[in-house]
């Protein structure tokens, strides 16, 4: 067992850090307060080889491991938190599932623009009546000759105001076995994108309405029975959410540490007060513990998909720790931390979202409890079989 980066990983981390300091640090504050996808950063990262880290070289990616992508997300986030969303998009998001299961024609058509930072993809899974219970989704895909006809509504999709293509979870038939996914292009007939709404983080999302939307059959990514594969791919997305949450917590921690080491009150640096020292000790314990869980899940996955259990435990830990540490960092910095001129308050707002998005902390704990007791706990109660 080894708890340090390999020489190669350290060199990679150093190079990403230098890139971030040279190109991303200057506008970090402005970028964090911008609601839309930073295409300029995506194009810069593409030239730097930071898009498609987890995607095979044959598909235009970098052929790296999940751990490489975690290292990249961390090093970018420590300098410019908002830019780490681009690493998420390019290596962990729906693009990873797409690259795994897409046909050669689908990949040739859409991957180059995505990996070059010219377009962005959004994931449409959640519906007004299907949040945590994702398999309750109602959006239907009905065959019609060489096309499918989609009907339904999706909500909360990240990057939806900017996306050119959407990976939409649909129902081809009843039950979990009837769920699959389809690629829908912006502008498809019957596809209406609502006005942007804002999350607490400042990010925007749009309602997606499918009203007899016609999609060519070649756009099916996973047909009926694809749900399990989609969720396996989704575990990669969860690792990216874990990595960003923890890195945002560490960003806030670093800012707060600098602050209490230099700011004086009562004639002494704040760090000389034990009440603050213990806060930082507690934060360090939390950060280090969650870091090990994250690295375990990522390192064990290598170039494949991570284990559902290791991902659940890492994400629950990283999401909670990221939020708690950012929250405590604000307290340690007083009004300066609460001010929008530092990114500490931004980190707290972003981390709060990941406690809900991509598998809420409660849903992850349900999965962890199933592992603990080595049995399945049906969340639907006695009537579940009838519903599925
Ligand atoms: C920042 C952000 C980004 C998002 N991005 C996307 C995206 O790109 N694409 C997309 O499709 N969706 C996205 N979502 C939506 C997200 O997937 C859902 O918010 C999530 O699945 C929870 O669903 P819900 O909000 O409807 O809450 P609900 O499912 O209504 O849950 C409400 C509360 O009850 C808890 N709860 C529910 N069921 C149980 C249970 N069985 N046991 C214990 N507690 C339970 C939940 O944990 C939660 O705290 C995003 C959400 C956020 C906040």
């Amino acid at each position: 067992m080894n708890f340090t980066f390999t020489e190669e990983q350290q060199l990679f981390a150093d190079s990403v850090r230098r890139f971030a300091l040279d190109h991303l640090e200057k506008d970090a504050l402005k970028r964090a307060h911008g609601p839309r996808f930073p295409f300029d950063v995506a194009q810069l990262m593409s030239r730097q080889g930071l898009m498609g880290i987890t995607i095979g070289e044959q598909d235009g990616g970098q052929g790296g491991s999940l751990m490489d992508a975690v290292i990249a997300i961390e090093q970018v986030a420590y300098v410019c938190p908002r830019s780490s969303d681009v690493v998420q998009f390019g290596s962990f998001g729906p693009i990873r599932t797409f690259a795994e299961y897409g046909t050669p024609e689908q990949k040739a058509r859409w991957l180059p623009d995505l990996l070059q930072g010219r377009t962005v993809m959004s994931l449409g899974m959640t519906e007004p009546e299907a949040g945590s219970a994702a398999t309750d989704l109602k959006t239907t895909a009905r065959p019609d000759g060489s096309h499918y006809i989609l009907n339904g509504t999706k909500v909360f999709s990240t990057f939806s105001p900017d996306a050119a293509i959407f990976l939409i979870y649909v129902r081809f038939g009843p039950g979990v076995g009837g769920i699959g996914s389809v690629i829908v292009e912006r502008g498809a007939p019957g596809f209406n994108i609502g006005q942007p709404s804002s999350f607490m983080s400042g990010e925007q999302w749009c309602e997606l309405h499918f009203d007899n939307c016609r999609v060519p059959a070649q756009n099916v990514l996973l047909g009926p029975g694809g749900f399990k594969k989609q969720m396996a791919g989704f575990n990669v997305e969860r690792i990216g959410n874990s990595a960003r949450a923890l890195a945002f917590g560490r960003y806030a921690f670093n800012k707060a540490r600098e602050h209490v080491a230099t700011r004086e009150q009562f004639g002494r640096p704040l760090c000389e007060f034990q009440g603050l020292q213990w806060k930082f000790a507690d934060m360090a314990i939390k950060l280090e513990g969650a870091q090990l869980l994250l690295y375990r899940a990522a390192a064990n996955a290598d170039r494949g998909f991570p284990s559902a259990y290791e991902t659940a435990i890492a994400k629950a830990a990283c999401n909670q720790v990221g939020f708690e540490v950012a929250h405590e960092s604000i307290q340690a910095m007083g009004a300066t931390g609460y001010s929008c001129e530092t990114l500490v308050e931004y980190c707290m707002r972003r981390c709060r979202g990941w406690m809900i998005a991509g598998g809420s902390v409660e849903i992850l704990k349900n999965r962890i409890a199933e592992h603990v007791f080595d049995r399945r706990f049906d969340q639907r109660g006695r009537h579940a079989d009838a519903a599925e």
Side-chain angles (χ1 to χ4, degrees), residues 175-236:
V176 176
I179 298 175
S181 54
V182 173
I183 303 290
V184 184
E185 289 182 288
R186 181 178 286 265
F191 178 26
N192 299 307
I193 302 177
Q195 289 302 311
S197 300
S198 294
F199 284 126
M200 173 182 170
S201 58
E203 297 163 284
Q204 293 184 332
W205 61 275
C206 303
E207 279 195 11
L208 309 177
H209 300 283
F210 302 95
D211 186 11
N212 288 321
C213 170
R214 273 176 79 76
V215 177
Q218 302 93 285
N219 288 21
V220 172
L221 181 69
L222 286 163
F227 186 72
K228 278 201 172 137
K229 285 183 177 166
Q230 281 164 188
M231 290 318 285
F234 198 57
N235 281 325
V236 175

Side-chain angles (χ1 to χ4, degrees), residues 123 125-126 131-132 156-158 199 353 356-357 360 362-363 366 379:
L123 172 71
M125 177 169 65
T126 309
S132 302
F156 302 136
S157 295
T158 300
F199 284 126
I356 299 167
S360 68
E362 292 79 15
I363 293 300
N366 290 343
Q379 303 298 311

Side-chain angles (χ1 to χ4, degrees), residues 73-75 77-78 84 242-252 347:
I73 227 171
E74 287 180 340
Q75 293 302 325
Y78 296 159
S84 65
S242 311
R244 278 181 300 162
L246 194 63
F248 282 38
R250 204 175 276 280
Y251 178 99
C347 289

Side-chain angles (χ1 to χ4, degrees), residues 13-344:
D14 293 344
S15 78
V16 178
R17 173 101 181 161
R18 272 195 307 277
F19 163 79
L21 287 169
D22 290 348
H23 299 282
L24 304 174
E25 188 178 34
K26 190 163 84 58
D27 288 327
L29 184 65
K30 192 168 99 191
R31 222 171 265 127
H33 294 289
R36 306 298 281 265
F37 185 77
F39 284 104
D40 57 334
V41 173
Q43 284 158 25
L44 202 60
M45 283 192 183
S46 176
R47 291 195 288 278
Q48 186 68 16
L50 293 177
M51 296 289 274
I53 297 170
T54 58
I55 292 173
E57 286 170 303
Q58 71 283 3
D59 291 324
Q62 306 299 322
S65 66
L66 193 53
M67 192 60 207
D68 294 331
V70 167
I71 291 172
I73 227 171
E74 287 180 340
Q75 293 302 325
V76 168
Y78 296 159
V79 175
C80 175
R82 173 67 166 145
S83 292
S84 65
D85 294 345
V86 177
V87 186
Q88 169 78 15
F89 159 68
S91 295
F92 297 87
I95 195 172
R96 176 72 178 85
T97 312
F98 176 70
E100 183 80 14
Y101 299 116
T103 63
E105 295 73 28
Q106 289 172 339
K107 290 197 263 191
R109 179 156 178 204
W110 288 302
L111 266 183
D113 278 350
L114 293 166
L115 290 174
Q116 285 164 32
R118 287 199 290 267
T119 55
V120 69
M121 181 188 240
S122 182
L123 172 71
M125 177 169 65
T126 309
E127 299 184 358
E129 306 303 326
S132 302
T135 55
D136 282 357
L137 68 88
K138 291 194 180 78
T139 299
T140 50
R142 177 172 53 79
D144 182 33
S146 60
H147 284 70
Y148 278 90
I149 307 292
L150 269 54
N151 278 290
T153 298
K154 298 287 177 181
V155 288
F156 302 136
S157 295
T158 300
F159 305 143
S160 46
D162 295 305
I165 63 168
F166 297 77
L167 175 56
I168 303 296
Y169 284 27
V170 293
R171 179 168 291 296
F172 293 100
V176 176
I179 298 175
S181 54
V182 173
I183 303 290
V184 184
E185 289 182 288
R186 181 178 286 265
F191 178 26
N192 299 307
I193 302 177
Q195 289 302 311
S197 300
S198 294
F199 284 126
M200 173 182 170
S201 58
E203 297 163 284
Q204 293 184 332
W205 61 275
C206 303
E207 279 195 11
L208 309 177
H209 300 283
F210 302 95
D211 186 11
N212 288 321
C213 170
R214 273 176 79 76
V215 177
Q218 302 93 285
N219 288 21
V220 172
L221 181 69
L222 286 163
F227 186 72
K228 278 201 172 137
K229 285 183 177 166
Q230 281 164 188
M231 290 318 285
F234 198 57
N235 281 325
V236 175
E237 174 135 16
R238 287 177 167 168
I239 292 289
N241 290 347
S242 311
R244 278 181 300 162
L246 194 63
F248 282 38
R250 204 175 276 280
Y251 178 99
F253 174 88
N254 289 339
K255 292 288 171 200
R257 182 170 48 91
E258 277 166 37
H259 181 86
V260 302
T262 51
R263 176 165 168 83
E264 293 192 0
Q265 287 295 284
F266 302 99
R268 305 162 71 187
L270 290 173
C271 67
E272 289 188 7
F273 298 111
Q274 192 177 54
L276 282 162
Q277 290 167 12
W278 283 11
K279 262 191 204 308
F280 280 83
D282 283 338
M283 288 193 271
I285 293 167
K286 288 178 182 178
L287 287 169
E288 300 285 0
Q291 190 85 66
L292 293 177
L293 292 171
L294 170 64
Y295 285 173
R296 178 180 72 168
N300 282 347
D302 194 18
R303 283 175 171 72
F305 288 154
S307 121
Y309 170 68
E310 290 183 355
T311 302
I313 212 162
K315 184 172 185 291
C318 291
N319 289 170
Q320 289 180 133
V321 167
F323 175 73
E324 286 165 12
V325 168
H327 185 247
E328 278 292 42
S329 297
I330 292 178
Q331 193 66 19
M333 291 176 76
T336 304
Y338 190 62
S339 158
C340 297
E341 273 70 52
T342 72
L343 285 175
V344 176

